[in-house]
Amino acid sequence: MKKAKLILDRDYIVSAVDPRIYGSFVEHLGRCVYTGIYEPGHPLADESGFRRDVLELVKKLGVPIVRYPGGNYVSGFRWEDAIGPKENRPRRLDLAWKTTETNEVGIHEFCEWARKAGSDVMYAVNLGTRGPEDARNLVEYANHPGGSFWSDLRKRNGAADPFGIKLWCLGNEMDGPWQMGSKTAYEYGRVANEAAKMMKWTDDSIEVVACGSSSTTMKTFGEWEYTVLSECYENVDYVSLHRYYGNPHNDTPDFLASTMDLEDFIRTVAAICDAVKGRKHASKQVNLSLDEWNVWYHSHEQDEQLHKREPWGTALPLLEDVYNFEDALLVGLMLITILKNADRVKVACMAQLVNVIAPIMTRPGGGAWAQTIYWPLLHASTMGRGISLKTVLTSEKTDTKHYNDVPVVDAAAVQAKDGTVTVFAVNRDLEEPAELTLDLRSFGLAAPKKHIVLHHDNVNAVNTEDRPEEVKPVEVPCRLEDGKLILPAASWNVIRF
Ligand code: AHR
């Protein structure tokens, strides 16, 4: 039996949890939009063509904000292509994913879908092939009440009221050579600054996110953030972080230790923000938007073949990772890491929402089901709102191929408005259960009300349309003896007091 101890006190807090950390992402990529959220001919489609079964699964997740419309896609996107009568909208080649975009869904349709899902929209502007002028026109189109060219055009296109989009991304992954119109840090920093200024002059209630590095693995990581922020610090509110992990060599302990890298990534970018703040003698703090995160590797090979077979198709099954049980554990660990850093991470978007590296899968004309990774996200989103508590955690440690001193147990805790304390904990050990001693100090030694466990004996188990509940959480009896609770081997746990 492994051992760990968690101390919580109502006076030790990290920060209020910004609900936007449970955000998601919908890109015009693969089947995320077409046959994902939108499939007019489907038996469950509503009057606008949105799949009701998908909306139900999204609503259960409680997704506060959805990033849209990309991703790599946005860096070549002309937003005006996707407004006005559908029959007049051009079909365009999307160079990011080598597909053809029909533009059937654009800002009007997506904002309608988001309203039905109960989500706000986080809109990314194209700073790849376009620039500040198009970005400020789009803000005017979306948010200005009326009486100007773009806002009146919106009205003529059927939206009398502004969409009221409050959070905007200044492009996407502009450091990546795979991006249309990629830039050096200095070039991007200048453009981002000018775009941010003009967008905020159009609507001073918005917040904007500058692009940070697309991964910790980029050679320019660190230098990129410093240079970009040196150019635009005064006019931006957040800097983005993107991070995907994978287990291509089937080394589960090393895979489950990947959040050591995520922790470092977050703390390093926060430190760089503060270094720029110091150098500029600024009082404002720039926070972090982890606006793409997930596991992504299962579909790489399949996508290569698909691109060779079917270039320029529409709604191709791209990036359709089928997630297994160990992926759900890593997603749980990523959520724990985000919660522990709630003082700096104010927005986070699991990439993506439907079909494309997603917690929800659909079959065209068929069913919709929850992948394994749906469950930790659902738990954190529905039970992890309130105050993120400091977790003073001691745990046995192990070494893996790429990481040293990896705690066997990792945990985060949140106190909700009604006083309920929820602990999210993962036992990384694949063989042995862990005994977690809970010292709740000022909370008193209350008995847990609920203990939910996500576990499967096979780390490769997956959910499919035929077996949608192969991996699903179960409630177990709350056994707390001498303040000790047992976390099964390889398990995601939600413990509520
Ligand atoms: O989410 C898939 C892709 O990953 C996004 O389009 C891009 O921003 C990132 O590289």
Side-chain angles (χ1 to χ4, degrees), residues 25 27 67 173 214-217 242-246 258 261-262 265 291-297 319 323 330 334 349-352 357:
F25 178 28
E27 177 167 3
R67 186 169 175 251
E173 296 191 348
S214 31
S215 170
T216 37
T217 56
H242 290 182
R243 197 67 177 102
Y244 297 98
Y245 297 104
S258 308
D261 171 78
L262 182 63
F265 189 14
D291 46 43
E292 285 188 33
W293 68 270
N294 205 345
V295 173
W296 176 15
Y297 74 105
L319 279 70
Y323 290 114
L330 188 75
M334 292 181 87
C349 306
M350 178 191 265
Q352 298 191 4
I357 43 174

PDB file of all heavy atoms in Angstrom, residues 25 27 67 173 214-217 242-246 258 261-262 265 291-297 319 323 330 334 349-352 357:
ATOM      1  N   PHE A  25     -13.424  23.888 -26.714  1.00  0.00           N
ATOM      2  CA  PHE A  25     -12.910  24.423 -27.972  1.00  0.00           C
ATOM      3  C   PHE A  25     -13.619  23.743 -29.138  1.00  0.00           C
ATOM      4  O   PHE A  25     -13.712  22.514 -29.172  1.00  0.00           O
ATOM      5  CB  PHE A  25     -11.401  24.142 -27.982  1.00  0.00           C
ATOM      6  CG  PHE A  25     -10.637  24.553 -29.209  1.00  0.00           C
ATOM      7  CD1 PHE A  25     -11.041  25.602 -30.012  1.00  0.00           C
ATOM      8  CD2 PHE A  25      -9.460  23.882 -29.539  1.00  0.00           C
ATOM      9  CE1 PHE A  25     -10.308  25.964 -31.133  1.00  0.00           C
ATOM     10  CE2 PHE A  25      -8.713  24.243 -30.643  1.00  0.00           C
ATOM     11  CZ  PHE A  25      -9.135  25.280 -31.450  1.00  0.00           C
ATOM     12  N   GLU A  27     -13.379  23.844 -33.231  1.00  0.00           N
ATOM     13  CA  GLU A  27     -12.665  24.352 -34.409  1.00  0.00           C
ATOM     14  C   GLU A  27     -13.342  23.827 -35.670  1.00  0.00           C
ATOM     15  O   GLU A  27     -13.910  22.723 -35.671  1.00  0.00           O
ATOM     16  CB  GLU A  27     -11.200  23.881 -34.365  1.00  0.00           C
ATOM     17  CG  GLU A  27     -10.405  24.305 -35.600  1.00  0.00           C
ATOM     18  CD  GLU A  27      -8.887  24.125 -35.453  1.00  0.00           C
ATOM     19  OE1 GLU A  27      -8.425  23.606 -34.411  1.00  0.00           O
ATOM     20  OE2 GLU A  27      -8.172  24.517 -36.390  1.00  0.00           O
ATOM     21  N   ARG A  67     -14.024  28.200 -27.074  1.00  0.00           N
ATOM     22  CA  ARG A  67     -13.142  28.889 -28.023  1.00  0.00           C
ATOM     23  C   ARG A  67     -13.547  28.488 -29.447  1.00  0.00           C
ATOM     24  O   ARG A  67     -13.844  27.321 -29.699  1.00  0.00           O
ATOM     25  CB  ARG A  67     -11.706  28.481 -27.715  1.00  0.00           C
ATOM     26  CG  ARG A  67     -10.641  29.198 -28.498  1.00  0.00           C
ATOM     27  CD  ARG A  67      -9.281  28.883 -27.877  1.00  0.00           C
ATOM     28  NE  ARG A  67      -8.199  29.450 -28.638  1.00  0.00           N
ATOM     29  CZ  ARG A  67      -7.351  28.742 -29.367  1.00  0.00           C
ATOM     30  NH1 ARG A  67      -7.458  27.425 -29.423  1.00  0.00           N
ATOM     31  NH2 ARG A  67      -6.382  29.331 -30.036  1.00  0.00           N
ATOM     32  N   GLU A 173      -1.343  30.197 -32.158  1.00  0.00           N
ATOM     33  CA  GLU A 173      -0.027  29.536 -32.321  1.00  0.00           C
ATOM     34  C   GLU A 173       0.844  30.222 -33.372  1.00  0.00           C
ATOM     35  O   GLU A 173       1.351  29.561 -34.293  1.00  0.00           O
ATOM     36  CB  GLU A 173      -0.218  28.049 -32.652  1.00  0.00           C
ATOM     37  CG  GLU A 173      -0.874  27.284 -31.527  1.00  0.00           C
ATOM     38  CD  GLU A 173      -0.857  25.760 -31.689  1.00  0.00           C
ATOM     39  OE1 GLU A 173      -0.529  25.270 -32.781  1.00  0.00           O
ATOM     40  OE2 GLU A 173      -1.154  25.066 -30.688  1.00  0.00           O
ATOM     41  N   SER A 214       3.344  27.488 -28.619  1.00  0.00           N
ATOM     42  CA  SER A 214       2.382  26.413 -28.859  1.00  0.00           C
ATOM     43  C   SER A 214       2.718  25.151 -28.090  1.00  0.00           C
ATOM     44  O   SER A 214       1.935  24.200 -28.104  1.00  0.00           O
ATOM     45  CB  SER A 214       2.230  26.130 -30.340  1.00  0.00           C
ATOM     46  OG  SER A 214       3.395  26.379 -31.024  1.00  0.00           O
ATOM     47  N   SER A 215       3.847  25.141 -27.416  1.00  0.00           N
ATOM     48  CA  SER A 215       4.196  23.999 -26.558  1.00  0.00           C
ATOM     49  C   SER A 215       5.495  24.317 -25.825  1.00  0.00           C
ATOM     50  O   SER A 215       6.270  25.166 -26.274  1.00  0.00           O
ATOM     51  CB  SER A 215       4.401  22.753 -27.434  1.00  0.00           C
ATOM     52  OG  SER A 215       4.955  21.714 -26.684  1.00  0.00           O
ATOM     53  N   THR A 216       5.750  23.593 -24.749  1.00  0.00           N
ATOM     54  CA  THR A 216       7.041  23.754 -24.056  1.00  0.00           C
ATOM     55  C   THR A 216       8.179  23.234 -24.927  1.00  0.00           C
ATOM     56  O   THR A 216       9.344  23.531 -24.678  1.00  0.00           O
ATOM     57  CB  THR A 216       7.077  22.926 -22.752  1.00  0.00           C
ATOM     58  OG1 THR A 216       6.380  21.708 -22.959  1.00  0.00           O
ATOM     59  CG2 THR A 216       6.508  23.662 -21.590  1.00  0.00           C
ATOM     60  N   THR A 217       7.828  22.436 -25.942  1.00  0.00           N
ATOM     61  CA  THR A 217       8.886  21.812 -26.748  1.00  0.00           C
ATOM     62  C   THR A 217       9.400  22.746 -27.847  1.00  0.00           C
ATOM     63  O   THR A 217      10.345  22.405 -28.544  1.00  0.00           O
ATOM     64  CB  THR A 217       8.361  20.523 -27.420  1.00  0.00           C
ATOM     65  OG1 THR A 217       7.194  20.878 -28.176  1.00  0.00           O
ATOM     66  CG2 THR A 217       7.985  19.470 -26.405  1.00  0.00           C
ATOM     67  N   HIS A 242      -0.518  26.218 -24.792  1.00  0.00           N
ATOM     68  CA  HIS A 242      -1.114  25.029 -25.411  1.00  0.00           C
ATOM     69  C   HIS A 242      -0.260  23.820 -25.038  1.00  0.00           C
ATOM     70  O   HIS A 242       0.961  23.880 -25.101  1.00  0.00           O
ATOM     71  CB  HIS A 242      -1.126  25.150 -26.946  1.00  0.00           C
ATOM     72  CG  HIS A 242      -2.095  26.175 -27.457  1.00  0.00           C
ATOM     73  ND1 HIS A 242      -2.288  26.414 -28.792  1.00  0.00           N
ATOM     74  CD2 HIS A 242      -2.952  27.010 -26.796  1.00  0.00           C
ATOM     75  CE1 HIS A 242      -3.216  27.357 -28.945  1.00  0.00           C
ATOM     76  NE2 HIS A 242      -3.619  27.750 -27.745  1.00  0.00           N
ATOM     77  N   ARG A 243      -0.925  22.731 -24.658  1.00  0.00           N
ATOM     78  CA  ARG A 243      -0.113  21.546 -24.332  1.00  0.00           C
ATOM     79  C   ARG A 243      -0.910  20.266 -24.510  1.00  0.00           C
ATOM     80  O   ARG A 243      -2.027  20.123 -23.990  1.00  0.00           O
ATOM     81  CB  ARG A 243       0.393  21.634 -22.875  1.00  0.00           C
ATOM     82  CG  ARG A 243       1.541  20.686 -22.594  1.00  0.00           C
ATOM     83  CD  ARG A 243       2.782  21.086 -23.378  1.00  0.00           C
ATOM     84  NE  ARG A 243       3.942  20.257 -23.092  1.00  0.00           N
ATOM     85  CZ  ARG A 243       4.399  19.269 -23.887  1.00  0.00           C
ATOM     86  NH1 ARG A 243       3.753  18.938 -24.996  1.00  0.00           N
ATOM     87  NH2 ARG A 243       5.497  18.607 -23.558  1.00  0.00           N
ATOM     88  N   TYR A 244      -0.344  19.360 -25.300  1.00  0.00           N
ATOM     89  CA  TYR A 244      -0.927  18.026 -25.507  1.00  0.00           C
ATOM     90  C   TYR A 244       0.108  16.993 -25.081  1.00  0.00           C
ATOM     91  O   TYR A 244       1.301  17.188 -25.304  1.00  0.00           O
ATOM     92  CB  TYR A 244      -1.254  17.801 -26.985  1.00  0.00           C
ATOM     93  CG  TYR A 244      -2.287  18.742 -27.548  1.00  0.00           C
ATOM     94  CD1 TYR A 244      -1.908  19.880 -28.271  1.00  0.00           C
ATOM     95  CD2 TYR A 244      -3.641  18.488 -27.378  1.00  0.00           C
ATOM     96  CE1 TYR A 244      -2.868  20.740 -28.802  1.00  0.00           C
ATOM     97  CE2 TYR A 244      -4.603  19.340 -27.907  1.00  0.00           C
ATOM     98  CZ  TYR A 244      -4.209  20.464 -28.613  1.00  0.00           C
ATOM     99  OH  TYR A 244      -5.159  21.309 -29.136  1.00  0.00           O
ATOM    100  N   TYR A 245      -0.355  15.895 -24.508  1.00  0.00           N
ATOM    101  CA  TYR A 245       0.557  14.800 -24.150  1.00  0.00           C
ATOM    102  C   TYR A 245       0.117  13.523 -24.841  1.00  0.00           C
ATOM    103  O   TYR A 245      -1.034  13.384 -25.271  1.00  0.00           O
ATOM    104  CB  TYR A 245       0.592  14.605 -22.628  1.00  0.00           C
ATOM    105  CG  TYR A 245       1.135  15.814 -21.907  1.00  0.00           C
ATOM    106  CD1 TYR A 245       0.285  16.695 -21.235  1.00  0.00           C
ATOM    107  CD2 TYR A 245       2.498  16.103 -21.937  1.00  0.00           C
ATOM    108  CE1 TYR A 245       0.785  17.828 -20.604  1.00  0.00           C
ATOM    109  CE2 TYR A 245       3.006  17.234 -21.307  1.00  0.00           C
ATOM    110  CZ  TYR A 245       2.139  18.095 -20.636  1.00  0.00           C
ATOM    111  OH  TYR A 245       2.639  19.209 -20.030  1.00  0.00           O
ATOM    112  N   GLY A 246       1.063  12.564 -24.921  1.00  0.00           N
ATOM    113  CA  GLY A 246       0.741  11.285 -25.550  1.00  0.00           C
ATOM    114  C   GLY A 246       1.566  10.171 -24.929  1.00  0.00           C
ATOM    115  O   GLY A 246       2.498  10.439 -24.156  1.00  0.00           O
ATOM    116  N   SER A 258       3.369  13.262 -16.889  1.00  0.00           N
ATOM    117  CA  SER A 258       3.497  14.430 -17.783  1.00  0.00           C
ATOM    118  C   SER A 258       3.061  15.740 -17.140  1.00  0.00           C
ATOM    119  O   SER A 258       3.456  16.820 -17.592  1.00  0.00           O
ATOM    120  CB  SER A 258       2.637  14.257 -19.038  1.00  0.00           C
ATOM    121  OG  SER A 258       2.881  13.048 -19.656  1.00  0.00           O
ATOM    122  N   ASP A 261       5.543  18.365 -16.253  1.00  0.00           N
ATOM    123  CA  ASP A 261       5.893  19.319 -17.305  1.00  0.00           C
ATOM    124  C   ASP A 261       4.872  20.456 -17.353  1.00  0.00           C
ATOM    125  O   ASP A 261       5.238  21.628 -17.480  1.00  0.00           O
ATOM    126  CB  ASP A 261       5.936  18.583 -18.656  1.00  0.00           C
ATOM    127  CG  ASP A 261       6.078  19.534 -19.836  1.00  0.00           C
ATOM    128  OD1 ASP A 261       7.203  20.008 -20.076  1.00  0.00           O
ATOM    129  OD2 ASP A 261       5.062  19.832 -20.494  1.00  0.00           O
ATOM    130  N   LEU A 262       3.593  20.097 -17.215  1.00  0.00           N
ATOM    131  CA  LEU A 262       2.544  21.125 -17.268  1.00  0.00           C
ATOM    132  C   LEU A 262       2.711  22.133 -16.128  1.00  0.00           C
ATOM    133  O   LEU A 262       2.590  23.350 -16.312  1.00  0.00           O
ATOM    134  CB  LEU A 262       1.157  20.461 -17.210  1.00  0.00           C
ATOM    135  CG  LEU A 262      -0.020  21.419 -17.311  1.00  0.00           C
ATOM    136  CD1 LEU A 262      -0.036  22.145 -18.667  1.00  0.00           C
ATOM    137  CD2 LEU A 262      -1.346  20.679 -17.107  1.00  0.00           C
ATOM    138  N   PHE A 265       5.514  24.396 -16.951  1.00  0.00           N
ATOM    139  CA  PHE A 265       5.094  25.279 -18.052  1.00  0.00           C
ATOM    140  C   PHE A 265       4.327  26.475 -17.460  1.00  0.00           C
ATOM    141  O   PHE A 265       4.633  27.638 -17.722  1.00  0.00           O
ATOM    142  CB  PHE A 265       4.215  24.448 -18.999  1.00  0.00           C
ATOM    143  CG  PHE A 265       3.839  25.092 -20.307  1.00  0.00           C
ATOM    144  CD1 PHE A 265       4.473  26.229 -20.789  1.00  0.00           C
ATOM    145  CD2 PHE A 265       2.831  24.531 -21.101  1.00  0.00           C
ATOM    146  CE1 PHE A 265       4.123  26.789 -22.017  1.00  0.00           C
ATOM    147  CE2 PHE A 265       2.473  25.081 -22.319  1.00  0.00           C
ATOM    148  CZ  PHE A 265       3.111  26.217 -22.774  1.00  0.00           C
ATOM    149  N   ASP A 291      -5.468  27.621 -23.372  1.00  0.00           N
ATOM    150  CA  ASP A 291      -6.653  27.446 -24.202  1.00  0.00           C
ATOM    151  C   ASP A 291      -6.597  26.298 -25.195  1.00  0.00           C
ATOM    152  O   ASP A 291      -7.475  26.191 -26.054  1.00  0.00           O
ATOM    153  CB  ASP A 291      -7.123  28.777 -24.829  1.00  0.00           C
ATOM    154  CG  ASP A 291      -6.032  29.605 -25.444  1.00  0.00           C
ATOM    155  OD1 ASP A 291      -5.193  29.018 -26.119  1.00  0.00           O
ATOM    156  OD2 ASP A 291      -6.034  30.838 -25.244  1.00  0.00           O
ATOM    157  N   GLU A 292      -5.630  25.419 -25.056  1.00  0.00           N
ATOM    158  CA  GLU A 292      -5.670  24.094 -25.705  1.00  0.00           C
ATOM    159  C   GLU A 292      -4.925  23.129 -24.799  1.00  0.00           C
ATOM    160  O   GLU A 292      -3.732  23.321 -24.548  1.00  0.00           O
ATOM    161  CB  GLU A 292      -5.003  24.115 -27.081  1.00  0.00           C
ATOM    162  CG  GLU A 292      -5.834  24.787 -28.140  1.00  0.00           C
ATOM    163  CD  GLU A 292      -5.244  24.642 -29.545  1.00  0.00           C
ATOM    164  OE1 GLU A 292      -4.626  23.592 -29.838  1.00  0.00           O
ATOM    165  OE2 GLU A 292      -5.405  25.589 -30.326  1.00  0.00           O
ATOM    166  N   TRP A 293      -5.623  22.120 -24.319  1.00  0.00           N
ATOM    167  CA  TRP A 293      -4.941  21.089 -23.530  1.00  0.00           C
ATOM    168  C   TRP A 293      -5.694  19.766 -23.692  1.00  0.00           C
ATOM    169  O   TRP A 293      -6.912  19.750 -23.826  1.00  0.00           O
ATOM    170  CB  TRP A 293      -4.843  21.469 -22.048  1.00  0.00           C
ATOM    171  CG  TRP A 293      -6.162  21.507 -21.312  1.00  0.00           C
ATOM    172  CD1 TRP A 293      -6.989  22.574 -21.175  1.00  0.00           C
ATOM    173  CD2 TRP A 293      -6.803  20.423 -20.622  1.00  0.00           C
ATOM    174  NE1 TRP A 293      -8.109  22.226 -20.447  1.00  0.00           N
ATOM    175  CE2 TRP A 293      -8.013  20.910 -20.091  1.00  0.00           C
ATOM    176  CE3 TRP A 293      -6.459  19.085 -20.393  1.00  0.00           C
ATOM    177  CZ2 TRP A 293      -8.898  20.121 -19.351  1.00  0.00           C
ATOM    178  CZ3 TRP A 293      -7.349  18.286 -19.654  1.00  0.00           C
ATOM    179  CH2 TRP A 293      -8.541  18.818 -19.135  1.00  0.00           C
ATOM    180  N   ASN A 294      -4.960  18.703 -23.690  1.00  0.00           N
ATOM    181  CA  ASN A 294      -5.580  17.369 -23.766  1.00  0.00           C
ATOM    182  C   ASN A 294      -4.500  16.317 -24.013  1.00  0.00           C
ATOM    183  O   ASN A 294      -3.306  16.619 -24.042  1.00  0.00           O
ATOM    184  CB  ASN A 294      -6.611  17.313 -24.902  1.00  0.00           C
ATOM    185  CG  ASN A 294      -7.679  16.243 -24.664  1.00  0.00           C
ATOM    186  OD1 ASN A 294      -7.525  15.368 -23.819  1.00  0.00           O
ATOM    187  ND2 ASN A 294      -8.751  16.305 -25.413  1.00  0.00           N
ATOM    188  N   VAL A 295      -4.973  15.091 -24.228  1.00  0.00           N
ATOM    189  CA  VAL A 295      -4.127  14.007 -24.746  1.00  0.00           C
ATOM    190  C   VAL A 295      -4.363  14.003 -26.253  1.00  0.00           C
ATOM    191  O   VAL A 295      -5.493  14.151 -26.707  1.00  0.00           O
ATOM    192  CB  VAL A 295      -4.567  12.650 -24.155  1.00  0.00           C
ATOM    193  CG1 VAL A 295      -3.820  11.501 -24.812  1.00  0.00           C
ATOM    194  CG2 VAL A 295      -4.380  12.652 -22.638  1.00  0.00           C
ATOM    195  N   TRP A 296      -3.313  13.851 -27.035  1.00  0.00           N
ATOM    196  CA  TRP A 296      -3.472  13.792 -28.501  1.00  0.00           C
ATOM    197  C   TRP A 296      -2.319  12.998 -29.086  1.00  0.00           C
ATOM    198  O   TRP A 296      -1.185  13.446 -29.037  1.00  0.00           O
ATOM    199  CB  TRP A 296      -3.490  15.221 -29.074  1.00  0.00           C
ATOM    200  CG  TRP A 296      -3.550  15.309 -30.578  1.00  0.00           C
ATOM    201  CD1 TRP A 296      -3.873  14.325 -31.470  1.00  0.00           C
ATOM    202  CD2 TRP A 296      -3.282  16.478 -31.381  1.00  0.00           C
ATOM    203  NE1 TRP A 296      -3.830  14.790 -32.757  1.00  0.00           N
ATOM    204  CE2 TRP A 296      -3.470  16.126 -32.728  1.00  0.00           C
ATOM    205  CE3 TRP A 296      -2.901  17.794 -31.082  1.00  0.00           C
ATOM    206  CZ2 TRP A 296      -3.282  17.027 -33.786  1.00  0.00           C
ATOM    207  CZ3 TRP A 296      -2.721  18.687 -32.120  1.00  0.00           C
ATOM    208  CH2 TRP A 296      -2.922  18.300 -33.460  1.00  0.00           C
ATOM    209  N   TYR A 297      -2.575  11.819 -29.559  1.00  0.00           N
ATOM    210  CA  TYR A 297      -1.557  11.053 -30.287  1.00  0.00           C
ATOM    211  C   TYR A 297      -2.150   9.823 -30.982  1.00  0.00           C
ATOM    212  O   TYR A 297      -1.599   9.347 -31.967  1.00  0.00           O
ATOM    213  CB  TYR A 297      -0.412  10.607 -29.367  1.00  0.00           C
ATOM    214  CG  TYR A 297      -0.746   9.457 -28.421  1.00  0.00           C
ATOM    215  CD1 TYR A 297      -0.274   8.173 -28.647  1.00  0.00           C
ATOM    216  CD2 TYR A 297      -1.547   9.658 -27.313  1.00  0.00           C
ATOM    217  CE1 TYR A 297      -0.590   7.115 -27.795  1.00  0.00           C
ATOM    218  CE2 TYR A 297      -1.873   8.614 -26.464  1.00  0.00           C
ATOM    219  CZ  TYR A 297      -1.394   7.356 -26.705  1.00  0.00           C
ATOM    220  OH  TYR A 297      -1.728   6.335 -25.872  1.00  0.00           O
ATOM    221  N   LEU A 319      -8.331  13.662 -36.519  1.00  0.00           N
ATOM    222  CA  LEU A 319      -8.000  13.791 -35.081  1.00  0.00           C
ATOM    223  C   LEU A 319      -9.017  13.065 -34.188  1.00  0.00           C
ATOM    224  O   LEU A 319      -9.388  13.551 -33.115  1.00  0.00           O
ATOM    225  CB  LEU A 319      -7.929  15.267 -34.661  1.00  0.00           C
ATOM    226  CG  LEU A 319      -6.653  16.057 -34.961  1.00  0.00           C
ATOM    227  CD1 LEU A 319      -6.475  16.308 -36.454  1.00  0.00           C
ATOM    228  CD2 LEU A 319      -6.634  17.403 -34.255  1.00  0.00           C
ATOM    229  N   TYR A 323     -10.218   7.634 -26.782  1.00  0.00           N
ATOM    230  CA  TYR A 323      -9.500   7.734 -25.505  1.00  0.00           C
ATOM    231  C   TYR A 323      -9.698   6.505 -24.626  1.00  0.00           C
ATOM    232  O   TYR A 323     -10.806   5.982 -24.508  1.00  0.00           O
ATOM    233  CB  TYR A 323      -9.936   9.000 -24.756  1.00  0.00           C
ATOM    234  CG  TYR A 323      -9.424  10.237 -25.444  1.00  0.00           C
ATOM    235  CD1 TYR A 323     -10.290  11.148 -26.029  1.00  0.00           C
ATOM    236  CD2 TYR A 323      -8.059  10.481 -25.540  1.00  0.00           C
ATOM    237  CE1 TYR A 323      -9.811  12.279 -26.685  1.00  0.00           C
ATOM    238  CE2 TYR A 323      -7.566  11.602 -26.186  1.00  0.00           C
ATOM    239  CZ  TYR A 323      -8.441  12.493 -26.757  1.00  0.00           C
ATOM    240  OH  TYR A 323      -7.955  13.598 -27.401  1.00  0.00           O
ATOM    241  N   LEU A 330      -4.857  10.869 -16.985  1.00  0.00           N
ATOM    242  CA  LEU A 330      -4.009  12.037 -17.252  1.00  0.00           C
ATOM    243  C   LEU A 330      -4.849  13.315 -17.312  1.00  0.00           C
ATOM    244  O   LEU A 330      -4.440  14.356 -16.786  1.00  0.00           O
ATOM    245  CB  LEU A 330      -3.173  11.890 -18.527  1.00  0.00           C
ATOM    246  CG  LEU A 330      -2.178  13.054 -18.601  1.00  0.00           C
ATOM    247  CD1 LEU A 330      -1.026  12.879 -17.623  1.00  0.00           C
ATOM    248  CD2 LEU A 330      -1.661  13.308 -19.981  1.00  0.00           C
ATOM    249  N   MET A 334      -4.327  16.606 -15.213  1.00  0.00           N
ATOM    250  CA  MET A 334      -4.199  17.954 -15.801  1.00  0.00           C
ATOM    251  C   MET A 334      -5.179  18.915 -15.129  1.00  0.00           C
ATOM    252  O   MET A 334      -4.838  20.065 -14.831  1.00  0.00           O
ATOM    253  CB  MET A 334      -4.412  17.900 -17.321  1.00  0.00           C
ATOM    254  CG  MET A 334      -3.284  17.170 -18.041  1.00  0.00           C
ATOM    255  SD  MET A 334      -3.453  17.103 -19.847  1.00  0.00           S
ATOM    256  CE  MET A 334      -2.686  18.643 -20.351  1.00  0.00           C
ATOM    257  N   CYS A 349      -9.142  25.625 -21.922  1.00  0.00           N
ATOM    258  CA  CYS A 349     -10.089  24.997 -22.851  1.00  0.00           C
ATOM    259  C   CYS A 349      -9.581  23.612 -23.213  1.00  0.00           C
ATOM    260  O   CYS A 349      -8.520  23.495 -23.836  1.00  0.00           O
ATOM    261  CB  CYS A 349     -10.224  25.814 -24.129  1.00  0.00           C
ATOM    262  SG  CYS A 349     -10.663  27.540 -23.839  1.00  0.00           S
ATOM    263  N   MET A 350     -10.348  22.596 -22.817  1.00  0.00           N
ATOM    264  CA  MET A 350      -9.983  21.273 -23.293  1.00  0.00           C
ATOM    265  C   MET A 350     -10.170  21.283 -24.809  1.00  0.00           C
ATOM    266  O   MET A 350     -11.187  21.733 -25.323  1.00  0.00           O
ATOM    267  CB  MET A 350     -10.856  20.186 -22.676  1.00  0.00           C
ATOM    268  CG  MET A 350     -10.499  18.820 -23.210  1.00  0.00           C
ATOM    269  SD  MET A 350     -11.672  17.543 -22.763  1.00  0.00           S
ATOM    270  CE  MET A 350     -10.908  16.886 -21.308  1.00  0.00           C
ATOM    271  N   ALA A 351      -9.171  20.804 -25.532  1.00  0.00           N
ATOM    272  CA  ALA A 351      -9.264  20.757 -26.992  1.00  0.00           C
ATOM    273  C   ALA A 351      -9.493  19.310 -27.389  1.00  0.00           C
ATOM    274  O   ALA A 351      -8.650  18.476 -27.088  1.00  0.00           O
ATOM    275  CB  ALA A 351      -7.989  21.291 -27.621  1.00  0.00           C
ATOM    276  N   GLN A 352     -10.634  19.074 -28.070  1.00  0.00           N
ATOM    277  CA  GLN A 352     -11.700  19.978 -28.405  1.00  0.00           C
ATOM    278  C   GLN A 352     -12.981  19.411 -27.791  1.00  0.00           C
ATOM    279  O   GLN A 352     -12.882  18.578 -26.900  1.00  0.00           O
ATOM    280  CB  GLN A 352     -11.764  20.127 -29.915  1.00  0.00           C
ATOM    281  CG  GLN A 352     -10.449  20.736 -30.474  1.00  0.00           C
ATOM    282  CD  GLN A 352     -10.508  21.168 -31.926  1.00  0.00           C
ATOM    283  OE1 GLN A 352     -11.524  21.103 -32.563  1.00  0.00           O
ATOM    284  NE2 GLN A 352      -9.366  21.624 -32.453  1.00  0.00           N
ATOM    285  N   ILE A 357     -10.282  15.094 -31.118  1.00  0.00           N
ATOM    286  CA  ILE A 357      -9.641  14.979 -29.798  1.00  0.00           C
ATOM    287  C   ILE A 357     -10.614  15.465 -28.699  1.00  0.00           C
ATOM    288  O   ILE A 357     -10.340  16.426 -27.992  1.00  0.00           O
ATOM    289  CB  ILE A 357      -8.270  15.701 -29.744  1.00  0.00           C
ATOM    290  CG1 ILE A 357      -8.294  17.074 -30.428  1.00  0.00           C
ATOM    291  CG2 ILE A 357      -7.173  14.834 -30.324  1.00  0.00           C
ATOM    292  CD1 ILE A 357      -6.984  17.880 -30.255  1.00  0.00           C
TER     293      ILE A 357
END
